[in-house]
């Protein structure tokens, strides 16, 4: 049976990607050169080198479920200098989620959501 889903996302600049994901709370568990593995609590993200990716044209995105305190996370990211997506401010959605979005240095949209 399936025990986990682990996104594999592209990165252009390894150092920028490591800095960004460390800033939002992920820990770098493995650096295999062109392949990175991060974790945060029960979440794992894998990254592969993609030198030709244009971050302004990236269609990569993931949804990260937050169990509690999404407002605290939102404010922490802002205080850490992470830019909130212009259309991704923290708000309650019609599907009973509090959500906000950010974009990583590689153009991947990360949406954080909590049931309300």
């Amino acid at each position: 049976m399936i025990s986990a889903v682990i996104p594999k996302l592209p990165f252009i600049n390894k150092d920028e990607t490591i800095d960004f994901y460390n800033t939002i709370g992920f820990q770098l568990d493995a650096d295999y050169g062109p392949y990175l593995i991060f974790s945060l609590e029960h979440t794992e993200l894998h990254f592969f080198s993609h030198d030709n990716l244009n971050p302004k044209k990236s269609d990569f995105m993931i949804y990260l479920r937050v169990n509690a305190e999404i407002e605290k996370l939102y404010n922490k990211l802002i205080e850490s200098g992470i830019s909130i997506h212009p259309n991704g401010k923290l708000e309650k959605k019609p599907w009973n989620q509090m959500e906000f979005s950010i974009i990583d240095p590689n153009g991947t949209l990360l949406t954080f959501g909590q049931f309300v």
Side-chain angles (χ1 to χ4, degrees):
M1 299 299 291
I2 296 173
S3 64
V5 174
I6 301 170
K8 292 174 74 174
L9 303 168
F11 74 83
I12 301 164
N13 180 298
K14 182 175 18 178
D15 292 333
E16 285 181 10
T17 300
I18 291 170
D19 288 345
F20 179 86
Y21 282 90
N22 283 338
T23 299
I24 67 171
F26 281 84
Q27 174 182 316
L28 179 64
D29 293 331
D31 179 347
Y32 298 107
Y35 200 84
L36 305 171
I37 299 174
F38 288 88
S39 66
L40 174 63
E41 298 171 1
H42 302 291
T43 301
E44 189 173 316
L45 300 176
H46 291 207
F47 291 82
F48 60 93
S49 179
H50 190 316
D51 296 338
N52 298 325
L53 178 69
N54 180 345
K56 293 183 179 178
K57 295 185 177 183
S58 174
D59 292 324
F60 290 93
M61 54 183 110
I62 59 173
Y63 193 95
L64 300 155
R65 175 80 59 216
V66 176
N67 290 329
E69 300 184 337
I70 195 166
E71 290 180 38
K72 185 176 177 181
L73 175 61
Y74 180 78
N75 291 324
K76 177 186 169 199
L77 294 181
I78 291 171
E79 290 169 8
S80 297
I82 301 294
S83 298
I84 303 301
H85 186 281
N87 298 320
K89 304 279 189 237
L90 182 64
E91 65 181 354
K92 184 176 179 186
K93 300 295 185 175
W95 45 91
N96 294 321
Q97 301 285 315
M98 287 294 289
E99 293 182 355
F100 72 92
S101 298
I102 61 177
I103 297 178
D104 81 0
N106 310 296
T108 299
L109 178 73
L110 290 82
T111 299
F112 296 84
Q114 175 185 333
F115 288 115
V116 290

